[in-house]
Amino acid sequence: MTDAAIAPPTVPDPMALFRLDDQVAIVTGASSGLGERFARVLAAMGAKVVVAARRIDRLDALAAELPGSLAVEADLSIAADRERLVAQTLEHFGRVDVLVNNAGIGSATRIEDETLDEFRFAMEVNVTAIWHLSKLCGESMVAAGSGSIVNVASMLVHVASAPVKQAHYCASKGAVINMTRELAAQWGRKGVRVNALSPGWFKSEMTGDMDTDEGSQAFVKANAMLPRMGNEDELDGALLLLASRAGGYMTGHSLLVDGGWTAR
Ligand code: NAP
């Protein structure tokens, strides 16, 4: 048999669909955990990344490693900071192609001990900030006729969280999912895609010592079909799929990466 006879059919390089060369991406909550990883992954695929959060020292250190990136200190619970983040991005780069709404807060507290102020604050950071940043970036994306927004939700939009009790967190992430669908519907005809990435348990500041705590590990093993927490590289592909042309026909979707937790 000749080489030509066994050569695979020729298609354009499918991996090229995941590239983000010359695109500008904002990643919120890039000072730690998933957001820091997301910024590195988008930069590795060619994007110029705007990293945003409150801890500017960490953002500066990260930006120093990512060619062409920009660090912006922003407290996303403050409307003026959200406006400044988008204004600075547009001033510096003249465009925004990808928005990863990753910043989020949550802590385990039974509802009897949660305060109204804590609940409202979680909604401000986890929901209002996403609404506001999407609105601000969406304006520029709609004008350009293209863009991709990735809202980091959680598998806990599909199932209850208790015994890890966090009503504020579940309420806020649930809101993110239906906001994602609604924005996808409003902007689909304008070339802007809006999706949610919904992780299971991954190591971060938010999940603390879950990866070493025996009780937490037993909980994860008992409930995840893949009986462990996710590894740090196991959201990379899902993020890129939603952010890039590879997911060009996906919108309004909540992509679960949860080791099968919610499929049971
Ligand atoms: P993390 O390490 O605690 O990261 C949270 C990020 O949000 C930090 O960079 C923090 O930066 C930023 N942030 C918090 N409040 C902010 C504010 N007011 N203004 C600006 N930035 C703020 O936790 P993570 O696990 O990586 O969380 C990232 C996202 O993934 C969250 O939306 C979380 O709900 C979601 N998620 C995580 C998991 C998991 O298992 N890890 C599972 C499902 C979903 P500063 O403190 O520097 O401001």
Side-chain angles (χ1 to χ4, degrees):
M1 195 178 284
T2 64
D3 280 356
I6 59 168
T10 308
V11 292
D13 176 12
M15 296 310 290
L17 292 170
F18 292 88
R19 297 284 319 172
L20 295 164
D21 300 293
D22 301 323
Q23 297 207 17
V24 175
I26 296 177
V27 180
T28 67
S31 58
S32 64
L34 308 188
E36 179 185 338
R37 176 81 188 187
F38 292 157
R40 291 182 187 281
V41 168
L42 297 175
M45 295 307 275
K48 296 182 187 97
V49 185
V50 181
V51 290
R54 292 167 299 182
R55 287 171 291 179
I56 188 64
D57 50 330
R58 287 178 174 228
L59 299 177
D60 282 339
L62 176 61
E65 292 181 49
L66 308 180
S69 60
L70 176 71
V72 177
E73 182 176 0
D75 181 339
L76 297 181
S77 68
I78 300 172
D81 278 23
R82 304 188 291 244
E83 285 160 2
R84 185 174 44 75
L85 166 60
V86 178
Q88 265 183 254
T89 300
L90 294 174
E91 198 180 313
H92 192 84
F93 292 109
R95 58 191 287 170
V96 56
D97 303 283
V98 176
L99 167 65
V100 183
N101 278 313
N102 165 77
I105 54 172
S107 56
T109 327
R110 58 180 197 153
I111 191 166
E112 291 88 333
D113 298 326
E114 280 185 294
T115 67
L116 190 52
D117 281 348
E118 284 164 353
F119 182 86
R120 285 183 170 144
F121 189 69
M123 295 301 278
E124 189 68 26
V125 175
N126 292 1
V127 183
T128 309
I130 290 185
W131 172 86
H132 199 182
L133 290 174
S134 299
K135 179 178 163 67
L136 293 164
C137 291
E139 197 176 312
S140 167
M141 291 174 175
V142 165
S146 69
S148 173
I149 297 175
V150 180
N151 295 326
V152 180
S154 165
M155 70 174 176
L156 300 176
V157 304
H158 298 284
V159 291
S161 180
V164 181
K165 302 179 180 78
Q166 38 182 356
H168 61 293
Y169 185 79
C170 293
S172 67
K173 294 296 183 178
V176 167
I177 288 294
N178 220 31
M179 176 163 48
T180 297
R181 294 191 188 102
E182 175 61 15
L183 297 186
Q186 291 195 24
W187 286 338
R189 285 164 193 239
K190 298 178 178 174
V192 179
R193 298 184 299 108
V194 189
N195 290 288
L197 176 55
S198 298
W201 299 109
F202 283 79
K203 182 170 174 51
S204 72
E205 289 180 5
M206 185 181 277
T207 51
D209 66 357
M210 248 190 109
D211 61 321
T212 50
D213 175 66
E214 272 183 32
S216 303
Q217 283 300 303
F219 174 58
V220 171
K221 281 188 180 141
N223 288 285
M225 292 178 184
L226 304 175
R228 59 176 175 81
M229 294 173 73
N231 295 327
E232 71 168 351
D233 61 358
E234 287 179 327
L235 289 169
D236 298 356
L239 171 76
L240 286 173
L241 176 64
L242 298 180
S244 72
R245 272 197 308 136
Y249 197 49
M250 294 177 74
T251 201
H253 188 65
S254 165
L255 183 54
L256 282 156
V257 184
D258 67 351
W261 189 287
T262 57
R264 201 176 281 284

